Amino acid sequence: MSKAVRIANVEAKKGEKKTGYIEVGETAVERVRIPIVIVNGAKQGPTLCISGGVHGCEYSSIEAVVRTLRQTDPAKLSGKLLVVPVLNMAGFDARGPQGGMSTPFLNPIDNLNLNRIFPGNPDGTMSYQIAATFMTQVVAKADYYVDCHGGDLNEELASYVIVAQTGDGEKDRIAKEVLAGSFDCEFVAISGSGGGSIESASKMYSKPAIVVEAGGYGRLEEDAVQFIVRGIANIMMKLKMIDGAPTPTRNQKVRQRWMVYTRRGGLLYTPPLGTKVKRGEKVGEVRNVFGELLETLEAPVDGVVTFRRSPLPASTNDRAFGVFPHDDLPAPKARPYP
């Protein structure tokens, strides 16, 4: 018989769905809490953790998490869902504080990007506390982890998945084939950055973990929502958590993404998503406010443009656009990205 599941003060018995909050700390004017939903299925099965809102303005992915919750019936579920619809509640509430290229990603309490400081630190500033609380009280209790993201206020991207590596061959296969393979996208990236949610889940707890990316420009886009909802449903079917046959997905290319950065500050012009580029081809530029050319941006490899920063203004070393290569080529080490 399935036992009750308890996180903080939230407890769900067999066949129940319960909602509540995990207390983290407080500011001078408000409590800082993490919303948590426990869906304890009527039958035995694995535990899947799903999170949204690590970045507060990635609305399509947040809505996809909420919609998944609405559609999940604990009476028909085998296993357990541990769901955080919005991890960065302060950033979500602020709706994209103005002040710089990266502010939509940040927690306005301490101006840190949650997805650069995992696994967090209970003795750190508020973002570190949020990250540590989430990892130890939620992710640690799961068998699999899916972190839902998308293009923020300042980004446009094609839908794709990022996979973390545990070093365990079987768990890495599950992450690629079962988790990432459930999403109908052409490209899967291998995570290379430190401090991310899935890197911590894979390294600290040896969990198969992925980030799914869809949507952008701070908009709620139904196609992006459906991409994530269908993918999570496919995962749950493959893990035998819900009944049904997974919908077919296309063959995926697993690659390291190549990034192009600006050397000059000015007005940034980048190629549309889906543009096919050749190595050395001039596909972007930076101009000054008089319209004079300062820099030409070249494609680093043969491939397809799948990411670009959308604001017109750019500074030195800003990310401009990303290319998934046609061939499996090792990409240069990524530069710091707030």
Side-chain angles (χ1 to χ4, degrees):
M1 178 178 292
S2 177
K3 298 180 180 179
V5 179
R6 185 180 182 89
I7 296 177
N9 292 323
V10 183
E11 182 177 276
K13 298 178 181 178
K14 176 182 176 181
E16 288 186 337
K17 179 190 296 186
K18 294 292 185 179
T19 65
Y21 294 89
I22 306 170
E23 298 291 337
V24 177
E26 58 187 12
T27 70
V29 296
E30 64 183 2
R31 298 154 66 191
V32 177
R33 306 185 297 175
I34 298 172
I36 181 70
V37 186
I38 302 172
V39 188
N40 192 356
K43 300 177 182 179
Q44 293 281 14
T47 300
L48 174 63
C49 176
I50 305 170
S51 64
V54 169
H55 297 140
C57 296
E58 297 176 358
Y59 298 128
S60 295
S61 54
I62 293 171
E63 169 61 18
V65 174
V66 173
R67 200 171 298 183
T68 296
L69 277 174
R70 288 168 47 198
Q71 296 175 357
T72 302
D73 182 354
K76 299 179 181 179
L77 179 68
S78 296
K80 305 167 186 66
L81 284 183
L82 308 179
V83 182
V84 171
V86 180
L87 186 60
N88 181 3
M89 291 285 278
F92 181 70
D93 184 50
R95 286 164 282 186
Q98 301 304 306
M101 189 72 150
S102 299
T103 48
F105 298 101
L106 305 182
N107 177 355
I109 297 173
D110 55 9
N111 291 316
L112 292 176
N113 183 339
L114 272 173
N115 215 33
R116 298 297 177 270
I117 62 168
F118 283 102
N121 186 331
D123 297 321
T125 59
M126 195 60 70
S127 292
Y128 282 94
Q129 295 173 57
I130 293 169
T133 300
F134 174 62
M135 292 301 297
T136 58
Q137 296 196 37
V138 185
V139 174
K141 298 179 180 179
D143 299 308
Y144 311 95
Y145 176 37
V146 177
D147 189 13
C148 300
H149 284 253
D152 216 296
L153 290 176
N154 53 13
E155 295 177 316
E156 182 182 14
L157 51 79
S159 298
Y160 69 100
V161 179
I162 305 171
V163 175
Q165 302 289 281
T166 66
D168 181 310
E170 176 59 16
K171 290 183 178 179
D172 291 346
R173 183 196 67 79
I174 292 171
K176 292 179 183 178
E177 296 180 9
V178 178
L179 302 185
S182 293
F183 292 86
D184 188 25
C185 57
E186 183 178 1
F187 298 109
V188 173
I190 300 298
S191 177
S193 60
S197 60
I198 62 171
E199 291 82 15
S200 293
S202 63
K203 292 176 182 177
M204 287 185 62
Y205 301 115
S206 196
K207 312 285 187 185
I210 64 169
V211 163
V212 55
E213 299 267 11
Y217 286 148
R219 294 194 296 248
L220 184 59
E221 300 173 302
E222 185 61 23
D223 287 348
V225 174
Q226 287 296 326
F227 170 77
I228 297 175
V229 169
R230 286 194 294 265
I232 293 174
N234 278 346
I235 289 174
M236 294 172 69
M237 291 177 201
K238 289 180 180 180
L239 295 176
K240 307 300 183 184
M241 297 179 70
I242 59 175
D243 293 335
T247 57
T249 58
R250 71 192 79 178
N251 292 329
Q252 295 175 333
K253 299 181 179 69
V254 181
R255 300 281 190 269
Q256 288 185 321
R257 187 176 62 182
W258 289 62
M259 299 304 305
V260 175
Y261 302 84
T262 58
R263 295 187 300 273
R264 300 293 304 275
L267 310 183
L268 174 64
Y269 302 91
T270 55
L273 294 182
T275 300
K276 296 179 180 179
V277 297
K278 294 287 187 181
R279 183 177 182 272
E281 181 182 358
K282 297 178 180 179
V283 291
E285 57 188 28
V286 178
R287 295 181 176 270
N288 64 20
V289 293
F290 304 110
E292 298 164 342
L293 181 65
L294 301 177
E295 177 187 2
T296 298
L297 303 176
E298 297 182 355
V301 288
D302 295 354
V304 180
V305 175
T306 57
F307 164 90
R308 66 174 182 169
R309 298 300 290 271
S310 55
L312 187 61
S315 302
T316 301
N317 284 339
D318 275 346
R319 282 187 178 185
F321 62 93
V323 178
F324 266 97
H326 290 316
D327 299 317
D328 189 9
L329 303 172
K333 184 177 180 180
R335 301 181 190 179
Y337 182 46

